[in-house]
Amino acid sequence: MVISDFVEPQPSPAYVTPQDLPHRPEASTARNVPVLGGYLERLPLAAVRNGLADFAEIWHHHRGNAPASLRESDMLTRRSFPMHGEAPFHSDSMIDFVRQHGAPAILAVWGLGVSEALLEACGESFIIYNSIDAPSLRVPPEVSQHFDLVITGAQWQSDEVEARHPGMQTAIMPIGPEFASPETFFPLAEIEKRFDVIYVAAAQPYKRHDVLLNALARSPRPLKALCVIGYGEDSDRLRHQAAERGLDVEFVGPPGVSHAEVNRLMNAARVGVVCGVDDGAPAILTEYMLAGLPVVANAELRCGLQYILPQTGIAVPGDRFEQGIIEALGRSDFSPRQTVLDRWTWPHSISKLADLIAPVPALRAQHAQLELV
């Protein structure tokens, strides 16, 4: 089970009450589940495919009391529970659900986290945490002390976890780029390359769209860009700035588009960019690469530069970003998709995760026996 942050669920006839349990699939069916979707879906589905779990759930929080759960398949159910207060989020109904139906074998907590009360109710679960964004731990110590594993995006994040909780297990294996899905993102030969560059990112300040717009304005030759925005408060401002500066930028969204459409749009560009600095290791890094695009990343990006190799792209400072884009456009020696297939797709990462999880139940049992002596 994965718990992410707050969402506003949309009413749908397919929704069921949070108390409805998913159908448990046959093991043979579970082993064939496709690992598709975004970073929220790919880790739990990979766990099912690998045999770490029989089925998976993704839990969110929402305001209000309306039921908001959706059985997406035999292998994946999405639920949303009413929350009380601000982050780390607390939900009495979520805790009641755990007490009624039992805690998950694996509990993955993302982002702004959950209350200590829920983690105490899931005391027998293997608890994983990934902040997703640049801060290594976006939760207070009384919450983070319950984690069995903290997934980080860079060594400095692992060091921060160690400083707060000496001896806590960490792994530099950010869920977005590491659990890449070649079935979701792939080259489409029939798509015309209409854009020089594409940026798929939320319209929020930390994504640093200004780095791209400034690069387009400084470029010694015209560059045509596409910005794909799923959400964010800055989309109107970015459109206005691009038009005011006379830049050749096309915008799509918000609202966001499907993963299939994102893949199609990426295939319409020659280079993907990541402009942020104070960002986690964005999933889009390896998603661009799986679509066959080399990536130009801001050299100051705090998490994720390990994915920028000679085969996959270029890291360049923001004040010279246009130079990196032009260099990438002029090269033909990149092999981004094959490099991701060799290193960072979900089969590689779920095997590493399974190795990290395996010793914990035995250690817990040994500790319990010592307490009885």
Side-chain angles (χ1 to χ4, degrees):
M1 175 175 30
V2 168
I3 300 178
S4 71
D5 292 339
F6 165 76
V7 296
E8 287 285 7
Q10 298 298 316
S12 165
Y15 280 104
V16 296
T17 65
Q19 284 68 38
D20 288 339
L21 285 173
H23 167 70
R24 297 188 181 221
E26 296 293 332
S28 59
T29 304
R31 301 304 176 264
N32 296 323
V33 60
V35 181
L36 301 171
Y39 68 83
L40 285 182
E41 293 83 19
R42 296 194 299 250
L43 182 144
L45 289 173
V48 173
R49 181 70 174 264
N50 179 268
L52 283 175
D54 294 328
F55 64 95
E57 301 204 3
I58 298 173
W59 289 9
H60 300 280
H61 300 83
H62 71 270
R63 294 187 174 93
N65 296 307
S69 295
L70 173 64
R71 182 172 298 134
E72 297 191 352
S73 71
D74 281 346
M75 264 55 81
L76 182 66
T77 294
R78 194 182 301 269
R79 305 183 193 276
S80 185
F81 296 85
M83 70 180 185
H84 312 288
E86 300 304 317
F89 301 122
H90 177 79
S91 172
D92 289 335
S93 61
M94 188 180 288
I95 293 174
D96 289 342
F97 185 90
V98 170
R99 288 172 176 165
Q100 181 180 356
H101 300 294
I106 302 169
L107 174 64
V109 179
W110 302 156
L112 298 176
V114 294
S115 68
E116 185 180 15
L118 179 71
L119 300 184
E120 289 175 338
C122 297
E124 296 304 310
S125 304
F126 184 90
I127 301 176
I128 303 169
Y129 175 75
N130 186 195
S131 77
I132 298 175
D133 289 330
S136 53
L137 291 164
R138 299 166 71 195
V139 296
E142 61 268 23
V143 170
S144 57
Q145 67 178 334
H146 294 276
F147 300 152
D148 294 299
L149 170 68
V150 177
I151 294 176
T152 65
Q155 184 59 50
W156 68 265
Q157 289 190 320
S158 295
D159 294 342
E160 286 191 352
V161 175
E162 173 67 21
R164 181 190 287 190
H165 299 294
M168 181 170 282
Q169 184 173 220
T170 63
I172 303 174
M173 190 173 61
I175 59 166
E178 288 275 349
F179 284 84
S181 169
E183 299 88 353
T184 304
F185 302 100
F186 47 86
L188 295 169
E190 68 275 14
I191 301 295
E192 179 188 358
K193 297 287 187 181
R194 297 191 298 116
F195 302 96
D196 295 301
V197 59
I198 182 172
Y199 192 22
V200 182
Q204 294 184 315
Y206 79 103
K207 291 295 185 181
R208 297 295 307 274
H209 285 79
D210 61 292
V211 170
L212 175 60
L213 298 185
N214 290 339
L216 298 177
R218 290 192 307 261
S219 176
R221 67 176 179 84
L223 294 173
K224 184 176 181 61
L226 172 64
C227 289
V228 181
I229 299 171
Y231 62 92
E233 65 275 13
D234 284 352
S235 60
D236 290 341
R237 181 178 63 82
L238 292 172
R239 284 178 163 89
H240 176 74
Q241 288 181 350
E244 189 176 51
R245 300 173 74 175
L247 304 177
D248 192 358
V249 185
E250 187 173 316
F251 290 87
V252 173
V257 296
S258 67
H259 292 110
E261 179 64 5
V262 172
N263 186 62
R264 189 189 71 80
L265 291 170
M266 287 195 297
N267 273 273
R270 293 180 173 85
V271 171
V273 296
V274 171
C275 302
V277 175
D278 294 318
D279 198 352
I284 199 66
L285 280 164
T286 53
E287 292 170 356
Y288 287 140
M289 295 172 190
L290 285 175
L293 276 64
V295 177
V296 175
N298 192 327
E300 298 178 48
L301 178 65
R302 300 189 71 198
C303 299
L305 288 181
Q306 64 266 37
Y307 303 102
I308 306 300
L309 303 176
Q311 307 96 303
T312 62
I314 301 168
V316 64
D319 60 0
R320 294 192 285 109
F321 211 64
E322 71 284 359
Q323 297 176 26
I325 294 171
I326 291 172
E327 179 184 344
L329 288 169
R331 286 175 52 182
S332 60
D333 58 335
F334 294 113
S335 54
R337 180 174 172 86
Q338 188 59 52
T339 303
V340 176
L341 292 175
D342 292 342
R343 298 167 180 258
W344 303 308
T345 50
W346 64 263
H348 298 287
S349 300
I350 200 65
S351 295
K352 296 175 189 175
L353 185 61
D355 290 340
L356 293 169
I357 291 174
V360 172
L363 290 174
R364 282 187 176 149
Q366 183 182 28
H367 180 70
Q369 289 176 347
L370 289 173
E371 288 183 334
L372 293 173
V373 173

